[in-house]
Amino acid sequence: MAKKREKKPNTWDPNYNKSNKKSKLELNENKDETNKNNEIIGNNGSTGNDAYITTAGDTKIDSKRFWNNIEPKSEIFEQYYKAMGIIDNEEEFKKMFELMGKPLPTTFRINTTIGKSLQSLVIDQLKELVSESSGYKDIEIDGEVVQLPSPFSWYPNEMAWKSSIPKKSFKKNPALSKFHHFLVHHNQQGNITRQEAVSMIPPLFLDVQSHYNILDMCAAPGSKTTQILEDLHMKHNLENEEIIKRSLKEGGGNSNEKPSIYIPKGCIIANDVDTNRCYMLVTQTTRLGSPAIIVTNHEAQNFPLLYAKNTDGTEGESPIYMDRILCDVPCSGDGTTRKNPEVWRKWTHAGSIGLHQLQIKIATRGCQLLKVGGRMVYSTCSMNPVENEAVVAQIIQKSAGSIKLVDVSSQYPSLIRRPGLHSWTVIDKAGNFPTFESQPEDKKYKLSKTLWPPTPQEAADMHLEYCMRVYPHLQDTGGFFIAVLEKVSDCPNQIGKKTGPLNQTDDQITTSNETTTTAATTTTATTTTTTDEKTTETTNETTTEKSKKQIKNKENDRQPKLKERDKRQKFFEEPFTVPSEELKKELDLVSKFYGLTKEFPMGNLLTRGKNSQKIYWASDSVLSIISNESNKSLKVINCALKLFQRHDGLGAMECAYRISQDSVLWIEPFLSKRIITITHDDLVMIFKKNEPFFTDFNESICQQLKDMEPGCFVIKISGALRETLSSGMVFSAWRGKVSMHLLVSKQEIESYKGIFHIIDDPVTPTNNNAIESVKQDESKEVSSEIVEESKEQKEKTDN
């Protein structure tokens, strides 16, 4: 029998300290003292050899306890960056590395797409936490009193907050329980997003507008994607603020002021190479509920050029170049030591050098996909110039003047950052090489020349100082690099331009052009080229049949490796399509059932597969991309917003389609039927009883429920903004025979209970029996209705 593998502890778990394990005898001898002080806790409350020391309930917290068996120090790591010269001042350098050995503070963003009601609730509860400062005054971290939750000075509209309390300090600390519950419940609901501070910076410099098509090339796990998506909606709302105000006034405005102004015209494509991480993206973005999202599964360096049908009335189609691109490339991650302590043990010289060429390829592809006049933000969570300024310099050099750095130093002035570097050295385990020529001849074929900085004059002409470096000690964050690039003209060998023979595809043209470019820039047979270029033997060599065969053989040799690599890219998803004519007839009945106004964009609906039971709502840009046959090669994991879902077998009813809770906020302004307004107290009662009877409500609501046909309906909570905790919120619900219930998951309901501070009433056996009796009666009546209906259909058939 195989030996059971011992479960390894989470290295970030503050409850674990290998050196402090105690024997059973020691635990028994100190049992009384242990229970009294709550200092020794075992896995799942156990004792014995599994027990370990906790700091979670202590008011005096030592951050070093969070690192457990990992020493937050690496001599080789520190010496590497000293030699790099990223910070000249020795005292400042020492301060930075000391802070890199401590856990990150707690940081989060408030979601701007959840509606004003929930947004106001989150802000009010945050201010309440801040006002109750007595719960924090005795808690110290490394001898300093913890900071209260406060907004970042550099983030717009106070929508991003931080506290010096590390994540792991919340557990079992009574003084922090309220703050902990706030974070847990609102994060589960998607009202806030837990995100590292430096990760919030790149999306800010994209300068998103609501009509933009945006590509996030390496999007997983998705915190930056959700931030961009929120910005897309927020900018749209600001652009239409006056119309929205008129449309929200009760009885004010007119039907023309209730259009799809709530839905931006643009979209964001969130891409990742790993299929499993793509599903993580879906989970993250679904929490927001937006029709303006597409999640795709491609290698970033090979992301396809998309096409849209001409909108000027002419036949044909045109390439879609992106207005904005976030190029947050894979990197060594040496700026993440504060959240990923394994970096201290695993860091090597090879990490950044090994990723350099891939980073160039991804960034180059991004430039090709970018619209002229568009902006691309290149970023990494690394401090290494080999992954940062070296990549940016290579992009600019290859662009032949079509790409330039943008000076954004005047934007977000309270965000402290340092300018990009003009010079650096290249270091590997063999030594420190200030220039490409200074390395031994036998290494020149291993290290690309692109690793080294350009000449001082070239660096000045490129304005590498426009790049931004965020160091941990500047504002108590992780390390990050950001460069804002603008495309001023077409790139050399621009994809999507018909510059080659008519029978060539864009990919073939690109491959041919890349080969030509490489041949023009190669000076000797031994010169190393970048990985996205094909090596040529001499500058004067012409393309012959022999060389073509050699290239083809090399491609065939690579195929097995590609297949092995692509095991993580298994793709079995059904394609999204526009509804069939038969389905459109069903949707007409749905529209009548819910009383959808004429302003609702029925033409923006999608479905998935032949037998799909779900209907999705897409923004104009999403619809344009998905509905075009030329984009069939796009591997779509998920897109748009689930609007309706069909439920058969529920008995005879006028409409079998229910409204998804994810989309109820967006569709409610377009409904003229099946809306019932209730109070906050009514909502609390629903949460407590789960399936209240019609008679549990007041006479007016009870009568509305009785008069309504069975099926889905929408609940809206009465009251002006902030009048009650739930004023203005909307929920999808189901009307049964004599009772109703919310079409909301149990997890969401529990989260709402936590947010509204609702405590369940004890349920008596009598109540349980009554509810079960009603359910049985309902099921019997539904069954009899189905039998009667089938008899009628049979009689019609016989006649």
Side-chain angles (χ1 to χ4, degrees):
M1 182 177 177
K3 184 179 178 181
K4 184 178 180 181
R5 187 175 65 179
E6 183 181 354
K7 183 180 180 181
K8 293 184 178 180
N10 181 352
T11 54
W12 268 112
D13 192 340
N15 296 331
Y16 178 78
N17 191 321
K18 189 174 181 180
S19 62
N20 288 323
K21 281 188 177 181
K22 296 181 180 290
S23 66
K24 288 184 179 180
L25 180 62
E26 290 174 313
L27 291 172
N28 289 332
E29 289 174 350
N30 296 293
K31 185 175 181 181
D32 294 336
E33 184 177 351
T34 298
N35 293 334
K36 181 180 178 180
N37 297 323
N38 192 29
E39 290 180 344
I40 301 178
I41 302 173
N43 288 325
N44 300 320
S46 64
T47 59
N49 289 336
D50 290 332
Y52 42 75
I53 296 294
T54 179
T55 62
D58 298 340
T59 56
K60 311 296 183 184
I61 300 171
D62 180 3
S63 66
K64 291 180 181 178
R65 300 279 291 276
F66 286 82
W67 299 90
N68 304 315
N69 58 335
I70 296 179
E71 178 68 21
K73 189 172 182 178
S74 170
E75 191 69 26
I76 186 174
F77 185 25
E78 190 171 342
Q79 290 303 319
Y80 179 89
Y81 275 106
K82 276 188 178 179
M84 277 288 182
I86 61 171
I87 294 178
D88 296 330
N89 186 287
E90 188 173 340
E91 286 299 317
E92 186 181 0
F93 183 86
K94 183 179 179 182
K95 182 181 177 181
M96 181 181 75
F97 262 80
E98 282 181 357
L99 190 62
M100 287 169 65
K102 297 179 180 180
L104 283 168
T106 295
T107 54
F108 58 91
R109 287 185 298 102
I110 300 173
N111 183 352
T112 57
T113 66
I114 55 178
K116 290 187 177 181
S117 301
L118 264 176
Q119 193 173 311
S120 300
L121 175 63
V122 173
I123 293 172
D124 288 345
Q125 290 187 348
L126 257 177
K127 289 179 178 178
E128 184 182 339
L129 285 170
V130 174
S131 65
E132 297 176 356
S133 56
S134 59
Y136 306 97
K137 66 180 181 180
D138 296 327
I139 301 177
E140 296 181 3
I141 298 177
D142 298 334
E144 297 183 5
V145 178
V146 300
Q147 296 178 4
L148 298 172
S150 61
F152 285 108
S153 59
W154 48 266
Y155 199 92
N157 305 317
E158 296 188 349
M159 286 291 132
W161 288 60
K162 68 171 181 177
S163 171
S164 61
I165 306 168
K167 181 179 178 181
K168 296 294 182 180
S169 295
F170 289 105
K171 294 182 179 179
K172 296 182 175 64
N173 197 320
L176 300 174
S177 61
K178 193 169 183 179
F179 189 17
H180 186 222
H181 291 156
F182 168 87
L183 293 172
V184 170
H185 292 306
H186 283 294
N187 187 62
Q188 286 177 347
Q189 283 300 108
N191 301 334
I192 65 171
T193 299
R194 304 283 289 272
Q195 183 179 1
E196 189 182 351
V198 286
S199 177
M200 303 177 193
I201 299 173
L204 291 180
F205 288 100
L206 282 173
D207 188 24
V208 170
Q209 300 301 322
S210 67
H211 59 282
Y212 283 171
N213 290 321
I214 306 162
L215 172 62
D216 190 350
M217 299 186 76
C218 310
S223 58
K224 296 184 190 68
T225 303
T226 57
Q227 185 180 349
I228 297 168
L229 192 57
E230 290 171 29
D231 206 17
L232 196 72
H233 283 274
M234 185 180 69
K235 291 293 174 63
H236 188 66
N237 290 343
L238 291 174
E239 292 166 6
N240 298 280
E241 190 173 7
E242 292 304 317
I243 301 176
I244 292 175
K245 283 181 180 178
R246 289 196 296 269
S247 68
L248 291 178
K249 287 181 181 179
E250 188 175 352
N254 55 63
S255 61
N256 291 328
E257 293 178 342
K258 280 191 175 183
S260 56
I261 56 172
Y262 299 90
I263 308 302
K265 298 289 185 183
C267 74
I268 177 170
I269 302 174
N271 177 73
D272 201 85
V273 66
D274 190 289
T275 308
N276 291 330
R277 287 169 64 83
C278 283
Y279 290 113
M280 190 187 304
L281 268 174
V282 173
T283 301
Q284 280 274 40
T285 55
T286 301
R287 289 164 65 243
L288 300 186
S290 171
I293 178 75
I294 303 175
V295 178
T296 61
N297 178 214
H298 289 272
E299 289 181 324
Q301 66 271 29
N302 295 317
F303 192 87
L305 178 65
L306 303 176
Y307 289 84
K309 294 178 180 178
N310 294 336
T311 56
D312 56 3
T314 60
E315 291 187 4
E317 53 191 23
S318 304
I320 300 174
Y321 295 108
M322 299 294 161
D323 298 278
R324 294 291 186 265
I325 292 178
L326 177 59
C327 189
D328 187 52
V329 296
C331 67
S332 61
D334 59 25
T336 66
T337 56
R338 301 186 68 185
K339 71 174 181 181
N340 182 18
E342 291 291 335
V343 172
W344 293 105
R345 291 197 302 197
K346 295 182 178 180
W347 186 90
T348 65
H349 301 93
S352 56
I353 294 174
L355 288 166
H356 173 75
Q357 296 294 348
L358 175 62
Q359 291 160 345
I360 291 176
K361 290 179 70 176
I362 293 173
T364 300
R365 187 64 176 181
C367 292
Q368 289 279 353
L369 296 170
L370 190 64
K371 177 187 290 186
V372 173
R375 174 177 289 192
M376 182 175 82
V377 173
Y378 175 87
S379 63
T380 73
C381 51
S382 167
M383 300 182 293
N384 199 324
V386 165
E387 302 179 74
N388 299 327
E389 287 90 348
V391 175
V392 172
Q394 181 63 12
I395 294 168
I396 296 174
Q397 283 181 335
K398 289 175 66 176
S399 74
S402 61
I403 302 293
K404 68 174 186 179
L405 276 165
V406 181
D407 182 8
V408 292
S409 57
S410 61
Q411 297 181 31
Y412 307 104
S414 56
L415 174 64
I416 303 173
R417 65 265 202 182
R418 297 289 167 80
L421 304 176
H422 277 218
S423 62
W424 57 89
T425 186
V426 176
I427 307 171
D428 73 353
K429 61 182 180 182
N432 185 337
F433 307 108
T435 63
F436 176 75
E437 291 74 18
S438 65
Q439 61 179 326
E441 287 296 325
D442 62 339
K443 286 190 66 65
K444 287 185 178 180
Y445 75 94
K446 292 182 179 179
L447 299 180
S448 170
K449 195 171 184 177
T450 58
L451 294 167
W452 277 266
T455 65
Q457 185 58 51
E458 288 174 335
D461 292 341
M462 294 175 184
H463 293 291
L464 289 182
E465 70 276 7
Y466 290 170
C467 299
M468 294 172 281
R469 296 184 143 263
V470 179
Y471 295 128
H473 66 290
L474 297 179
Q475 287 182 305
D476 194 17
T477 64
F480 225 79
F481 173 87
I482 308 102
V484 181
L485 299 154
E486 184 181 348
K487 187 172 182 177
V488 295
S489 62
D490 283 337
C491 294
N493 314 310
Q494 177 65 51
I495 60 172
K497 304 295 183 180
K498 302 299 182 182
T499 55
L502 294 176
N503 61 345
Q504 281 187 304
T505 64
D506 288 326
D507 290 339
Q508 289 171 330
I509 293 170
T510 304
T511 303
S512 174
N513 289 333
E514 285 178 347
T515 306
T516 305
T517 303
T518 307
T521 56
T522 307
T523 55
T524 66
T526 58
T527 300
T528 304
T529 60
T530 60
T531 56
D532 60 328
E533 297 170 338
K534 300 192 185 301
T535 305
T536 55
E537 295 183 355
T538 64
T539 52
N540 299 322
E541 182 180 2
T542 58
T543 305
T544 63
E545 291 299 323
K546 183 177 179 180
S547 63
K548 287 181 179 178
K549 288 180 181 179
Q550 288 176 346
I551 292 172
K552 189 173 182 180
N553 289 335
K554 287 180 181 179
E555 289 176 350
N556 290 335
D557 290 341
R558 287 200 300 265
Q559 280 303 111
K561 293 181 180 179
L562 288 171
K563 288 181 180 179
E564 183 68 26
R565 178 192 60 195
D566 288 346
K567 284 182 178 179
R568 62 177 177 172
Q569 291 179 275
K570 294 179 180 177
F571 187 81
F572 304 109
E573 295 291 345
E574 289 274 4
F576 283 85
T577 59
V578 295
S580 63
E581 292 302 319
E582 184 180 349
L583 183 55
K584 286 179 180 178
K585 292 178 182 179
E586 288 188 36
L587 292 175
D588 287 339
L589 296 176
V590 173
S591 177
K592 291 177 182 177
F593 182 73
Y594 290 107
L596 291 176
T597 63
K598 62 181 181 180
E599 290 79 27
F600 181 76
M602 291 295 290
N604 284 47
L605 300 184
L606 296 171
T607 186
R608 190 165 208 177
K610 294 181 179 179
N611 300 315
S612 176
Q613 303 292 302
K614 300 174 184 178
I615 306 298
Y616 298 84
W617 183 2
S619 69
D620 290 348
S621 291
V622 170
L623 182 69
S624 175
I625 292 169
I626 297 298
S627 61
N628 192 352
E629 291 291 320
S630 298
N631 298 327
K632 275 188 173 181
S633 62
L634 190 67
K635 295 160 64 177
V636 178
I637 296 290
N638 195 42
C639 82
L641 173 65
K642 185 173 74 172
L643 181 61
F644 298 117
Q645 183 159 356
R646 185 182 179 89
H647 278 271
D648 294 314
L650 296 175
M653 62 182 64
E654 190 176 339
C655 178
Y657 285 90
R658 66 174 177 85
I659 298 173
S660 170
Q661 178 63 24
D662 296 336
S663 61
V664 67
L665 179 67
W666 302 104
I667 197 173
E668 183 270 329
F670 301 99
L671 300 180
S672 62
K673 296 180 182 178
R674 303 190 70 80
I675 302 179
I676 293 181
T677 302
I678 65 173
T679 65
H680 176 73
D681 291 338
D682 291 327
L683 180 64
V684 171
M685 184 265 291
I686 294 172
F687 282 145
K688 287 183 175 182
K689 293 192 174 183
N690 193 25
E691 294 188 34
F693 301 115
F694 298 164
T695 52
D696 289 329
F697 296 91
N698 63 41
E699 186 177 344
S700 174
I701 295 174
C702 177
Q703 191 59 48
Q704 289 181 66
L705 288 168
K706 288 179 178 179
D707 294 342
M708 185 181 289
E709 288 292 322
C712 179
F713 70 103
V714 171
I715 286 175
K716 187 170 184 177
I717 313 304
S718 63
L721 189 64
R722 296 189 176 182
E723 185 177 327
T724 66
L725 290 176
S726 61
S727 295
M729 293 184 187
V730 288
F731 297 89
S732 182
W734 188 266
R735 189 269 196 202
K737 180 165 179 59
V738 294
S739 65
M740 58 77 62
H741 65 270
L742 296 177
L743 294 174
V744 181
S745 69
K746 289 182 179 179
Q747 183 182 8
E748 285 184 86
I749 289 175
E750 290 304 315
S751 292
Y752 276 120
K753 286 180 180 178
I755 292 169
F756 298 143
H757 310 301
I758 298 172
I759 300 174
D760 288 332
D761 294 331
V763 180
T764 63
T766 306
N767 289 339
N768 275 334
N769 293 336
I771 292 172
E772 288 301 321
S773 176
V774 169
K775 286 182 179 178
Q776 289 175 9
D777 291 342
E778 283 190 0
S779 63
K780 287 177 182 177
E781 181 151 346
V782 166
S783 300
S784 62
E785 287 176 354
I786 294 173
V787 171
E788 291 298 325
E789 189 180 49
S790 60
K791 283 182 179 179
E792 290 176 6
Q793 290 176 351
K794 188 177 180 182
E795 288 174 1
K796 289 179 182 179
T797 305
D798 294 338
N799 293 334

